[in-house]
């Protein structure tokens, strides 16, 4: 197993697909998405409440997947989409967001030191059905250094519909952006 991981890491580094390879112990010390039953984010514990191929959704224990205030999730992008970089996927998500929600805030940034891409989307109408909510979402896109798969970490918060979406996005961003940047990288 270690030899296979080392070989994959080395091959990925040689083809320039990822940043420099991690040593195997460091990589294996990263939490495994597939084995994760709870996530701590912004000092709060989120429990696994939904899973399907490539998607794990977590909400606070007292909330349901249908009526949540906050949610975190992981998407492990299908291997057949590895031809797209994390930045390509983030750009496509922003374009789709802007097409569906013109005039709503959306931001895309890249950390040049780490190569990790971040985005924020503001949705005027949340999927939540038990009131009038908007949703603000923050995403962290990165390529797994061993498998080459793109992983997307996502934090979302339902908020009462604001009169000024941009102002709400900025205020929540001040709180969440440092948390999402500091959130550890997971492996598939």
């Amino acid at each position: 197993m270690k030899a296979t991981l080392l070989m994959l890491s080395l091959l990925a580094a040689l083809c320039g697909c990822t940043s420099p390879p991690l040593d195997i112990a460091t990589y294996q010390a990263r939490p495994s998405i597939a084995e994760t039953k709870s996530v701590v984010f912004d000092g709060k514990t989120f429990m696994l409440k939904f899973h399907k191929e490539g998607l794990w959704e977590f909400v606070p224990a007292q909330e349901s997947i249908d009526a949540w205030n906050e949610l975190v999730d992981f998407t492990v992008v299908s291997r057949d989409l590895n031809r797209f970089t994390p930045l390509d996927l983030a750009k496509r998500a922003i374009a789709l967001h802007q097409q569906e929600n013109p005039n709503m805030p959306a931001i895309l940034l890249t950390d040049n030191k780490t190569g990790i891409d971040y985005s924020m989307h503001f949705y005027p109408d949340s999927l939540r059905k038990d009131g009038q909510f908007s949703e603000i979402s923050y995403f962290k896109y990165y390529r797994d250094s061993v498998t080459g798969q793109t992983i997307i970490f996502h934090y979302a918060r339902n908020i009462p519909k604001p009169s000024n979406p941009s102002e709400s996005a900025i205020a929540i961003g001040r709180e969440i952006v440092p948390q999402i940047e500091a959130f550890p990288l997971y492996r598939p």
Side-chain angles (χ1 to χ4, degrees):
M1 177 70 173
K2 282 187 179 182
T4 302
L5 286 174
L6 183 59
M7 198 60 155
L8 286 171
S9 182
L10 185 57
L11 183 61
L14 289 174
C15 76
C17 300
T18 64
S19 52
L22 294 173
D23 66 62
I24 297 305
T26 302
Y27 181 77
Q28 289 178 331
R30 286 184 177 170
S32 163
I33 296 168
E35 297 170 4
T36 298
K37 302 297 181 224
S38 67
V39 172
V40 175
F41 180 78
D42 193 25
K44 300 171 197 128
T45 301
F46 295 78
M47 305 303 294
L48 180 64
K49 297 281 181 120
F50 179 79
H51 173 252
K52 70 176 187 178
E53 183 70 27
L55 176 66
W56 293 259
E57 292 182 334
F58 303 77
V59 297
Q62 69 277 12
E63 296 180 10
S64 75
I65 205 67
D66 296 319
W68 49 266
N69 290 311
E70 294 179 285
L71 168 137
V72 297
D73 66 57
F74 293 98
T75 300
V76 178
V77 177
S78 162
R79 289 182 191 279
D80 62 323
L81 295 177
N82 279 351
R83 67 185 179 277
F84 299 109
T85 67
L87 182 58
D88 291 336
L89 294 172
K91 285 179 180 178
R92 288 171 184 253
I94 289 278
L96 182 60
H97 174 271
Q98 292 301 124
Q99 180 181 339
E100 293 176 358
N101 302 286
N103 305 317
M104 287 294 116
I107 299 169
L108 176 61
L109 301 168
T110 298
D111 181 331
N112 291 325
K113 291 180 186 174
T114 64
I116 295 173
D117 301 299
Y118 299 92
S119 69
M120 182 282 301
H121 305 185
F122 186 93
Y123 299 95
D125 298 304
S126 168
L127 296 175
R128 188 169 168 174
K129 303 295 183 215
D130 62 339
Q132 295 293 312
F133 296 96
S134 294
E135 179 184 310
I136 189 161
S137 286
Y138 294 87
F139 299 87
K140 181 177 191 170
Y141 294 79
Y142 61 95
R143 189 159 319 256
D144 182 70
S145 60
V146 172
T147 66
Q149 288 178 276
T150 296
I151 296 173
I152 304 166
F153 173 72
H154 170 227
Y155 167 80
R157 181 183 293 176
N158 283 317
I159 60 173
K161 283 194 174 273
S163 57
N164 186 333
S166 293
E167 197 173 279
S168 294
I170 290 168
I172 294 170
R174 284 188 188 115
E175 170 194 345
I176 297 304
V177 169
Q179 299 297 324
I180 204 161
E181 288 176 342
F183 191 76
L185 301 182
Y186 277 61
R187 59 187 167 87

